[in-house]
Structure formats: C-alpha cells, structure tokens
Amino acid sequence: MNSPAANFDELDLFVWEGKADILDRIARCMASFDVEVIRADGMPTPHPEQGAALRPSVAIISVTVIDGGGLAHATELLQGMPVIWVAAGSRERDSRTYPPEYLHVLPYDFTCAELRTMVAKLVRQLRAREVAPQAPDVLVAHSDAMKALLAEVNAFADCDHSVLVRGETGVGKERIAQQLHLGHQRYGKGAFVAVNCGAIPDGLFESLFFGHTKGSFTGAVHAHRGYFEQATGGTLFLDEIGDLPRYQQVKLLRVLEDNAVTRLGATAPVRVDFRLVAATNRNLREMVASGEFRADLFYRLAVIELHVPSLEERGEIDKIAIFKALLSNVLGDELEALGETPHWLSDAVAETYFPGNVRQLRNLAERVGVIARQLHGWDQNLIQRAIALTRGTPAPAASAGNGMNGNGGGLGAIDGSADRKGWNSSERNRIIAALEINDWKRQDTAQHLGISRKVLWEKMRKYQILDGEPGIPEEQ
C-alpha cells in the first residue's frame, strides 16, 4: 500500500476517546509522520476556524463519548472540523443520537492502514480548500443602511489601520471582515485567519496565539505557529473581542505595539505583519468605563469603526432579497422548476422578526428549501408552520384543500373573521394581550408576536390601539 505521508505535513489530530482506549493506538499509528496527536477528553479543545489555519486539523471521536454525555461539549468545539467516528460494528446508527456529520466511521479494532487512509482522505479535502479559497458571495445591499456600510467598507478596505466591526449576533460581521481583507492590495493576497475569542480556553492563549516550540511542554511533539504568525502577510480577524479576558488583552496589545511574538519555549522573537480586524456584539465603550476592557487596547482596535445594521434596520427589502438569495443557494437548479417564490412567502418573511438576524434567516431558507424540494412545490401549510417555528409562535391552523391555497401567515391567519368595521377582533385582542404582557414595549411585543416593529405599529394604528390605552370599538 502506498504511504499517504505527503498528506500529513503539520497535522493536528484531536482525540475524544471517552471510555474507549484509542489515543495510544492512534499515536502509535501516526508516530512516523509529522502529526501531533492531542488528547481532548474532558478539556476545552481549541480549533482554528476552518480554512484559516495553515495547520489542518481532524477530530477522532469514540462513540462512547455520546454515552458519557460529552458529545454536546465536543461538537460545540469542532466548528466544522472533519470528524472520524470510532464505533463498534454492532452499534447501529441512530439519527436521533448521532450528529448529521456522522459520515466517516472506523471500527473499534481499526488497523493503522485504515486510520491513515481515512485521515489522508480528509486532509486532502482540507488542502484542496486551502489551495482554492472561495471568495464570499456578493452581499445583498438594497437598503440605504447597507449601502452606506458597504461604501465605508470600500473606502477603508485598502488602509493598514485596525478596524472594529460592531453589530448584533448573526448580522454578518465576519463577512464584512472578509470584504475588508479582499479589498486590501497587499494583505488581501495573504491568509484570512479567523479566531473566536470566546472559545479560547484558559491556559492555552499563549500556545494558540504565540505558538510553541517542540518539547516546550508535555505533548508538544512538534513546533506550532500561532495565530499571529499564521496571519502574517494577511488579516487576523478576532471575533467576539469583548470576550477576551483582561490578562489576554494586555498581551494582544503588546503584539500590536511591538509587531513581534516569541513562541513558548523559544527565546528569539519573530516579526509579524498583519492587518487586524476585530468584531463584537457588545458595547466596548461601556466595558471600558466599567473596567472590563482596556482603554488603550480599545483605541488601538477602533481606529476605524463600522456598524453592521440588523435585519430590522435593513428593512423588508433586504430581508426578502437575502431570503431569496439563500433559498436559491439551497435549491440550485431546482428553483427554476418550482417557479417564482410566492408573494405570500415573501410577505411572511418581511413581517417576521429575526432576533438571530441573517443566521436565523438562513436557517429558515434551508427549512423552506427542504420542504419545497421534497414535496416538489410551495406547500403553504408546511412552510407557514416552519415560519411559525422560526417566530417562536404556534403554527397557523392548516387550511382545507391541498395545502396550496391556505391563508397567509402572521396574526391574521389565526382567525379570518372580521366585524362590520373590518376589524379582525381575534387579532386585535391578541395584540392587546401581547402588549400588556410586555408592558406595552413595542420591540418586545413584536418579537413576542413574531412580526416586525413596523408591522406591529401599522396594526396598532389600524385597530386604534393607543399606548397603554387600547381604543374601544364603536358599537355596531
């Protein structure tokens, strides 16, 4: 059998062995290659964002981790890392237990040849992604708020200064960072290294960011370049920078000032040269005032500040356009056979409040795409139920017929009856009840009902509902 050694240059294997005894066997099988086998059981294991690290990483997990209740902890830290599962041949796959990424399985009594072949296959896939990185899709920007942001991105992309990107969770701050990276004439030709600061375990900051030399600590069988070195010549993107503890903040500040790092176990510093882009969903100015965030680091990060608007700020025009673009990605060529997206679906998306922003909208597009593909059509009842689940409200009742002619989603779908004044009394009463539950706060009420603030305001005007004092319908 040909040796796959060429695929194992600077490879990390993170092993969750649970009750199984596989770590030592894996280490022996890979001993002759440039592979670092890292025990990951019971400890928060770091993982560079996929495509960002120069050193590829593969996870090997025993199914006994599931039995021990450790799967949620392990999969939370995988962040897209390819996974090899080690399972007894008699163990049946149960989709309710195993994650959807349960694709690569080795028997418990695997041979070295089987392990190397499977690892080599996954490493080849990782290498292929590194050789041909994909540029992010064009950002949807029909709203004035998003157009203004992209104008700023274009204006500041080709400067060397640090950028702080602010915005709610799920608005696409990393996408903006990628646009800044690609727009820089020099750094845009280098690597884009993305790091989630909220996932850096205590005690591993120095090893992950500064790197280490061979033998610098137990288990360091190979030298490792940290994030600062990996990003040299490119862009270092630090997501959730507000989650970085103060003792790590001062070390980051020193690197920004000295443009040099010293690996653990080394004495000679290494020069680094990268463009820093940081992102946060927290108010760093308030954190500076409260002492949670260093003022000197804040001013180094926020030379340029960009605010990414939420979906609500972008408005219905961007909501619908983004949804259609995401749906097109899900369905591909099948979308043409299904026909144009129905108006009732676009209206329902426009009226829905998405606290998870684009990330949550993507989840809805995937749900709708699966329904449309499997049923070969826009089944309104099932899609309305999917939208209701997204809103966090009960699904509208199914209509009679074949499911293609039901009532539209939203509040009015619950009871279509109207009084002589044209008011839907059931809908009006539900809005009043929601307002009272939420102390007449429109933002909270809109989220409670699963609609946008704009739609709530329009319905309040329609039904003559005043703040704190609902209007009384006239006697008929």
Side-chain angles (χ1 to χ4, degrees):
M1 177 179 177
N2 294 330
S3 172
N7 295 308
F8 294 153
D9 296 338
E10 293 190 328
L11 171 68
D12 288 336
L13 289 180
F14 294 99
V15 182
W16 281 266
E17 64 176 357
K19 301 174 185 177
D21 182 18
I22 60 174
L23 182 73
D24 292 339
R25 284 197 288 145
I26 292 172
R28 288 196 298 271
C29 288
M30 310 302 290
S32 59
F33 305 113
D34 184 14
V35 175
E36 186 167 357
V37 179
I38 304 169
R39 179 185 178 91
D41 299 55
M43 61 175 283
T45 301
H47 172 245
E49 293 291 333
Q50 200 73 332
L54 299 180
R55 194 178 170 92
S57 304
V58 175
I60 302 179
I61 307 180
S62 166
V63 295
T64 58
V65 172
I66 299 173
D67 299 330
L71 179 63
H73 173 67
T75 54
E76 180 183 357
L77 298 165
L78 294 178
Q79 300 180 7
M81 189 190 303
V83 177
I84 296 174
W85 293 89
V86 177
S90 60
R91 185 170 184 129
E92 296 181 356
R93 173 180 177 177
D94 185 343
S95 60
R96 297 169 300 177
T97 303
Y98 295 106
E101 295 80 10
Y102 186 69
L103 301 176
H104 311 287
V105 184
L106 285 175
Y108 177 73
D109 56 349
F110 61 83
T111 65
C112 288
E114 289 174 323
L115 173 66
R116 293 169 185 167
T117 299
M118 189 165 290
V119 171
K121 174 184 176 181
L122 296 179
V123 171
R124 282 196 298 269
Q125 295 175 0
L126 291 175
R127 295 293 191 195
R129 295 178 190 175
E130 293 176 0
V131 171
Q134 297 296 317
D137 297 332
V138 176
L139 288 169
V140 173
H142 299 299
S143 64
D144 292 340
M146 200 62 186
K147 288 179 179 178
L149 170 64
L150 293 188
E152 289 186 274
V153 171
N154 292 333
F156 299 120
D158 196 30
C159 70
D160 297 345
H161 298 292
S162 300
V163 180
L164 178 64
V165 183
R166 299 179 291 105
E168 297 176 6
T169 298
V171 294
K173 296 187 289 293
E174 184 168 350
R175 291 288 303 280
I176 296 301
Q178 290 172 334
Q179 294 291 334
L180 290 166
H181 168 70
L182 294 172
H184 198 286
Q185 291 188 11
R186 181 162 59 93
Y187 293 131
K189 298 176 182 178
F192 179 82
V193 179
V195 182
N196 187 334
C197 295
I200 302 299
D202 289 338
L204 292 179
F205 176 85
E206 289 81 2
S207 175
L208 292 174
F209 278 83
F210 291 84
H212 60 255
T213 60
K214 180 179 179 179
S216 57
F217 55 86
T218 302
V221 297
H222 297 286
H224 175 66
R225 287 185 293 175
Y227 296 140
F228 294 129
E229 285 189 71
Q230 294 173 24
T232 292
T235 300
L236 178 62
F237 173 59
L238 298 183
D239 197 9
E240 306 301 343
I241 188 70
D243 293 339
L244 203 64
R246 279 187 64 91
Y247 79 93
Q248 295 176 2
Q249 294 173 23
V250 67
K251 295 178 180 180
L252 172 60
L253 180 63
R254 175 58 62 89
V255 172
L256 297 179
E257 292 177 343
D258 296 346
N259 294 317
V261 298
T262 302
R263 293 184 184 180
L264 293 179
T267 56
V270 178
R271 298 292 298 176
V272 293
D273 175 27
F274 55 83
R275 200 254 187 106
L276 180 65
V277 179
T280 182
N281 62 357
R282 306 176 68 179
N283 190 325
L284 292 189
R285 284 184 170 80
E286 291 184 354
M287 294 180 66
V288 169
S290 65
E292 297 177 77
F293 201 87
R294 294 181 61 95
D296 46 7
L297 177 58
F298 171 76
Y299 295 123
R300 285 300 301 264
L301 296 175
V303 177
I304 300 167
E305 286 190 69
L306 300 176
H307 169 71
V308 185
S310 67
L311 275 182
E312 288 299 301
E313 292 174 297
R314 296 173 67 169
E316 297 178 1
I317 186 172
D318 272 8
K319 277 188 187 180
I320 296 173
I322 295 171
F323 177 79
K324 289 183 177 180
L326 294 171
L327 192 60
S328 178
N329 290 338
V330 174
L331 292 172
D333 295 337
E334 299 174 70
L335 183 60
E336 184 176 353
L338 290 168
E340 187 178 351
T341 306
H343 291 298
W344 57 263
L345 177 53
S346 297
D347 292 342
V349 169
E351 293 180 359
T352 300
Y353 170 66
F354 294 94
N357 289 290
V358 178
R359 187 178 296 125
Q360 186 178 1
L361 187 60
R362 178 181 292 107
N363 175 266
L364 176 61
E366 291 173 351
R367 291 187 184 187
V368 172
V370 170
I371 293 172
R373 175 185 293 120
Q374 296 302 116
L375 299 182
H376 308 290
W378 306 105
D379 189 301
Q380 189 167 357
N381 285 323
L382 289 181
I383 291 175
Q384 284 177 351
R385 292 175 188 175
I387 295 172
L389 289 173
T390 299
R391 290 171 171 168
T393 58
S399 62
N402 61 6
M404 299 298 290
N405 300 309
N407 293 328
L411 293 164
I414 296 175
D415 182 1
S417 61
D419 57 24
R420 291 173 57 189
K421 194 171 183 177
W423 284 1
N424 184 324
S425 57
S426 176
E427 180 178 80
R428 183 178 187 277
N429 292 336
R430 184 180 172 193
I431 292 173
I432 294 173
L435 284 163
E436 291 176 344
I437 291 173
N438 293 281
D439 297 325
W440 291 81
K441 295 177 180 177
R442 292 179 191 165
Q443 177 64 52
D444 294 342
T445 303
Q447 183 174 354
H448 178 88
L449 293 171
I451 60 178
S452 67
R453 288 173 293 181
K454 178 181 177 182
V455 172
L456 174 62
W457 172 239
E458 290 174 349
K459 290 183 179 294
M460 289 177 67
R461 287 196 301 175
K462 172 183 175 181
Y463 294 131
Q464 300 178 14
I465 301 174
L466 307 177
D467 284 350
E469 186 179 355
I472 306 299
E474 297 178 359
E475 294 295 334
Q476 305 297 320

